[in-house]
Amino acid sequence: QHNARYVERTIAEHSKLLIEELHLDQEQREATVRDDERNLVIAGAGSGKTRTLIARVRFLLERHVPPTAILAVTFTNKATEEMVDRLTQMNVSVADREHEGVTVSTLHALGKRVVQATLSGPISVADDRWADSLVAAALRGARTAQDPQLAPLYLNAILHFHRTEDERAPTLR
């Protein structure tokens, strides 16, 4: 009940953003303010996942979380482009090659960045195809549970991406 009261109170405190400005429904508001270290939004097509992610970013910024500490991961390029466009229209700084800000990425691109980071630097154009196929195979393996150890390992890589040693959560088993 404590968690439910927290969510209600937080929604009320941020009603101007959540209700008046972003026009979120009750489920979207709850997903936006849930105070977990990581949040996963799963819903059907056209249900407002992108809107909820944008709301979460805005909510975190309103609570003074630095933009560089926010990572929003989508599954499609279209959703990523839509998020970047909407956040930019809201004057939210979005990370790119020249600027720091909120990182918005597809899961595939994030996986590629993880692979590149383990190689200690950028990979060549020829290696891009290799990295793409490696990441695609890893995602396929995680999705289809072909290797029972792959999904938790990949999830841990995502959960610990850009975290210092002090911020690391316990490893999934």
Side-chain angles (χ1 to χ4, degrees):
Q1 289 181 355
H2 170 75
N3 290 346
R5 285 193 305 271
Y6 169 83
V7 168
E8 283 179 33
R9 187 175 62 249
T10 306
I11 289 171
E13 290 170 1
H14 296 274
S15 64
K16 183 176 182 190
L17 173 69
L18 302 174
I19 299 169
E20 295 173 28
E21 186 178 336
L22 298 173
H23 310 289
L24 302 179
D25 65 28
Q26 185 61 29
E27 287 179 333
Q28 291 170 325
R29 287 181 232 150
E30 289 174 11
T32 298
V33 304
R34 186 137 338 262
D35 195 21
D36 296 330
E37 190 170 310
R38 294 166 196 85
N39 294 298
L40 177 64
V41 176
I42 301 174
S47 61
K49 292 180 299 294
T50 303
R51 176 186 289 226
T52 303
L53 285 170
I54 288 167
R56 178 68 179 174
V57 169
R58 292 283 310 278
F59 173 73
L60 291 172
L61 292 170
E62 194 169 277
R63 296 188 69 187
H64 307 292
V65 172
T68 55
I70 300 172
L71 169 64
V73 180
T74 67
F75 283 98
T76 67
N77 288 325
K78 181 180 175 186
T80 298
E81 290 168 11
E82 188 176 334
M83 280 192 69
V84 168
D85 288 345
R86 287 191 202 172
L87 289 169
T88 302
Q89 289 173 6
M90 296 176 177
N91 296 317
V92 172
S93 63
V94 177
D96 60 22
R97 292 178 192 245
E98 290 93 32
H99 304 97
E100 289 188 340
V102 174
T103 299
V104 181
S105 175
T106 63
L107 184 60
H108 183 93
L110 179 63
K112 183 177 176 181
R113 290 167 95 186
V114 169
V115 169
Q116 288 176 326
T118 62
L119 297 174
S120 300
I123 55 180
S124 72
V125 173
D127 288 340
D128 273 347
R129 288 189 200 101
W130 171 81
D132 286 345
S133 66
L134 176 69
V135 170
L139 287 172
R140 247 188 329 277
R143 248 190 339 262
T144 60
Q146 292 172 340
D147 181 346
Q149 294 178 334
L150 184 60
L153 290 174
Y154 192 71
L155 183 57
N156 278 323
I158 291 169
L159 295 177
H160 296 140
F161 188 69
H162 280 312
R163 294 197 181 276
T164 65
E165 199 60 43
D166 293 340
E167 297 173 315
R168 296 215 193 279
T171 313
L172 294 176
R173 302 224 190 299

